Amino acid sequence: MADPAVVNARLALAHPDARCALDHADAFQLLVATVLSAQTTDERVNTVTPEVFGRWPDAAALATADLAALEDVLRPLGFFRAKARSLVGLAQGLVRDHDGEVPPDLDALVALPGVGRKTANVVLGNAFGISGITVDTHVGRLARRLGWTTQTDPVRAEADIAALVPPSEWVMLCHRLIFHGRRVCHARRPACGECVLADVCPSAFAV
């Protein structure tokens, strides 16, 4: 197993620009953007969210959005009909249960339509500074390659990673793993020869 402290320190040097790649100004915008990011790239989400937030700037506006109009804006993302329904339902839940505000609480977030644990942790960590581990495809893949977990279930993988890393490092470690997964440790052809973790990674040159 690769030492998590060593991995985190090296990735911090390798990816000093690691951050949440979804453009947002507040918790509401981040929540919406994260829901939209399912099965598409952050870059593509960032191309449509300016119009989304320009036309529906808060939960109250989005809760009463014309579904066809919202679908048209979301069309470039794929699955636009389902995503439009999710956003309207999410906004209605915020208005109904939280006075239109995004709650800084995991259980309250996952109770909202279209919000899973991964999305909730993204919002908690990046909008509220509340430690959480976001196990997306990159984090899960790298955690398995580093020997931190054998789990493919995100919740179980999250628990395994949490046991190895101090909570104060959870959010930034996830950002660094995501950046490393996008840039170096690719799913099909990881660039082990260019990887700063090759000498400590148990999967180096074997995947």
Side-chain angles (χ1 to χ4, degrees):
M1 182 184 78
D3 185 327
V6 171
V7 170
N8 194 26
R10 291 190 186 181
L11 292 184
L13 293 174
H15 307 290
D17 55 336
R19 60 176 181 82
C20 178
L22 292 167
D23 295 339
H24 64 280
D26 53 35
F28 171 72
Q29 291 190 2
L30 180 57
L31 179 57
V32 169
T34 307
V35 170
L36 291 177
S37 70
Q39 297 176 296
T40 190
T41 65
D42 293 348
E43 291 79 7
R44 184 165 290 181
V45 172
N46 290 339
T47 66
V48 304
T49 48
E51 184 172 358
V52 172
F53 301 139
R55 297 179 65 174
W56 304 284
D58 53 31
L62 190 57
T64 58
D66 177 78
L67 200 58
L70 182 57
E71 287 176 357
D72 191 56
V73 175
L74 301 182
R75 190 177 298 271
L77 300 182
F79 304 99
F80 58 92
R81 291 188 177 89
K83 289 183 178 182
R85 290 194 300 270
S86 290
L87 289 192
V88 171
L90 165 65
Q92 290 172 346
L94 289 174
V95 171
R96 181 183 64 248
D97 300 328
H98 304 287
D99 296 322
E101 300 297 321
V102 177
D105 178 81
L106 180 65
D107 291 336
L109 284 169
V110 297
L112 294 167
V115 179
R117 189 177 181 91
K118 182 181 76 173
T119 294
N121 277 329
V122 169
V123 173
L124 291 174
N126 295 282
F128 296 109
I130 298 172
S131 294
I133 294 173
T134 303
V135 182
D136 72 347
T137 56
H138 299 292
V139 172
R141 181 177 73 252
L142 269 65
R144 289 188 293 274
R145 287 179 175 173
L146 292 166
W148 294 353
T149 185
T150 60
Q151 302 292 337
T152 56
D153 176 74
V155 176
R156 293 180 178 177
E158 178 187 335
D160 287 345
I161 299 168
L164 299 173
V165 181
S168 60
E169 296 296 322
W170 288 352
V171 174
M172 283 309 303
L173 174 62
C174 289
H175 287 322
R176 292 163 186 153
L177 289 171
I178 290 168
F179 269 54
H180 198 64
R182 288 173 175 165
R183 294 171 171 175
V184 180
C185 193
H186 309 121
R188 294 186 178 179
R189 294 184 179 179
C192 297
E194 304 171 16
C195 182
V196 297
L197 305 177
D199 63 320
V200 298
C201 177
S203 302
F205 302 101
V207 291

